[in-house]
Amino acid sequence: MKVIEKIKAAEAENKVLFSFEYFPPRTEDGVDNLFERMERMVAHNPSFCDITWGAGGSTAELTLDIANKMQNMVCVETMMHLTCTNMPVDKIDHALTTIRSNGIQNVLALRGDPPHGQDKFVQVEGGFACALDLVKHIRRQYGDYFGITVAGYPEAHPDVIGSDGVATLEGYANDLAYLKSKVDAGADLIITQLFYDTDIFLKFVNDCRQIGITCPIVPGIMPINNYKGFIRMTGFCKTKIPAEITAALEPIKDNEEAVRAYGIHLGTETCKKILANGIKQLHLYTLNMEKSALAILMNLGFIEETKIMRSLPWRPPTNVNRVKEDVRPIFWANRPKSYISRTLGWDQYPHGRWGDSRNPSYGALTDYQFMRPRSRDKKLHEEWVVPLKSVEDINEKFNKFCLGKLRSNPWSELDGLQPETKIINEKLAGINLKGFLTINSQPTVNGERSDSPTVGWGGPGGYVYQKAYLEFFCSKDKLDALVKKCETFTSLTYMAVSKDGNWNSNGGPSHVNAVTWGVFPAKEIIQPTVVDPASFVVWKDEAFEIWSRAWARLYPEGDPSRKLLEEVQSSYFLVSLVDNDYIHGDIFAVFADL
């Protein structure tokens, strides 16, 4: 979706939007850390996030890769910077066709800074001389597909600012006229350069309106995180520093915590003044750090650290090709990125009901589904790689995870227990000790308010429902005992399958069971999570493979612990269990005396 469309929709509802900017880190560890931080920040529902291109196009391929993962794995509306520096037209078109194929619709078109070691921008052969040419090219070649954002400079472009730190009236007027030409050529949004004098920004907005620029102008807010970085950045951008800010920083410049606290205070007050003047969008330059940006938003009352609103039980996609998707099988609840990667090739995605959309084949398992950030791999080593002498030792690992004593889990891409799991975690821990090794679950919910901090989704004003669900591995003997008991628990439906495909179920092979649904004002019933036998058969290959590729492989070849895990993998069954009585049912009752 284009950012400009989000802004127009928010304006119609008088809502405030905020967004974040990131830059490509230099190392693999840095990229892993960025995505972990991004996941936490995106949980607060920014309207979009953007990723910079890098000086001189130095991070071009990395930027393209990060932008793709932001849009399709992190599932946040993504805007990619694109510059003219060292970029002939064929490279520009390569970047644009790549992001278009990845479902990205937003570009921030820039001239770009001079290449490293040069003082002035030089047009590359076969390239463009300025952002205006780039905007024209995008509109000419790609029509209305992209939402195009351009940069605005409240104090004028740094090239126009003189040695005295101020642009001449003529230089400032010419810079505004150039900005209008970019908008007239097809840009539909302006994001400003950082500033620390709010009056200068407000004057800039008024000056833009006076010359006929009518599109939204979004203020770029850069929190002060440390003194040296602040001085370096304002010097590079030739940004005016008001005397009162200098006076406040001078006594504390060597105290990083004090500087950060002041930066949060200043950022909060700046945003309050902007909002008081009727501007409803805020763009935060994070410098890949989360605390200051989130603290400012909390101070403004736009987010709550402990209350994350979900529009669906899983984070909705932002890829333009699957934005209507609103139904998924529950099996990948803890591995959403794997699910997305295995469904990228679908021509259509389930909307309203699962229905026949289960027919498209899932993508084959690849190394991608088992790749993990280094930090998560390290955590798995620390928490799960211990000597395993018996299945009881394995049971104990699952038990500890359910009790919150472990943060990682080979079967989960997520960090620790999810809020709703904590409702039933002690009961989960109990059945794990009995040898029913749970990898997915949800408690029963009967008409909870949709803004509940633990089980709510869909926003305020509705009610949500869930059937209790458990998914676990167990031995053949335990499965046989469970199946026998299910004969007297008529509200339970189950599916069980071994690694080799041996099947046992008390339901039909095509019976799709909605296990989560919501009722909202003026909407049809939404049922975003289902249990689908066809998808379960696909999921079981991945679930069983995790025993070896995500856990056993962490031990050396020939290690007894590795051998034990592989024996469990080959002999256990994967079981999906639903209690269809969401009013009076107790899914854990069937495990009594087992």
Side-chain angles (χ1 to χ4, degrees), residues 145-157:
Y145 177 82
F146 288 108
I148 304 175
T149 300
V150 292
Y153 300 88
E155 299 170 60
H157 191 281

Side-chain angles (χ1 to χ4, degrees), residues 435-503:
F436 299 93
L437 307 177
T438 57
I439 60 172
N440 194 357
S441 64
Q442 68 178 30
T444 184
V445 174
N446 180 25
E448 284 278 348
R449 294 180 65 89
S450 58
D451 56 2
S452 161
T454 51
V455 297
W457 54 271
Y463 293 89
V464 295
Y465 301 80
Q466 291 181 178
K467 296 176 183 178
Y469 177 76
L470 294 175
E471 188 178 322
F472 51 87
F473 294 99
C474 70
S475 67
K476 177 70 164 59
D477 289 344
K478 292 188 182 298
L479 175 62
D480 289 343
L482 179 68
V483 167
K484 185 68 177 175
K485 286 199 71 174
C486 281
E487 293 175 1
T488 59
F489 286 79
T490 57
S491 66
L492 298 182
T493 51
Y494 63 83
M495 301 181 292
V497 64
S498 70
K499 184 175 186 294
D500 295 332
N502 294 320
W503 179 266

Side-chain angles (χ1 to χ4, degrees), residues 95-110:
L96 291 168
T97 54
T98 297
I99 63 173
R100 182 175 62 179
S101 68
N102 290 330
I104 297 172
Q105 283 194 283
N106 297 287
V107 176
L108 177 52
L110 301 159

Side-chain angles (χ1 to χ4, degrees), residues 39-59:
E39 289 276 4
R40 293 192 293 269
M41 298 179 76
V42 166
H44 294 287
N45 298 313
S47 57
F48 71 94
C49 293
D50 67 326
I51 182 75
T52 66
W53 187 248
S58 57
T59 63

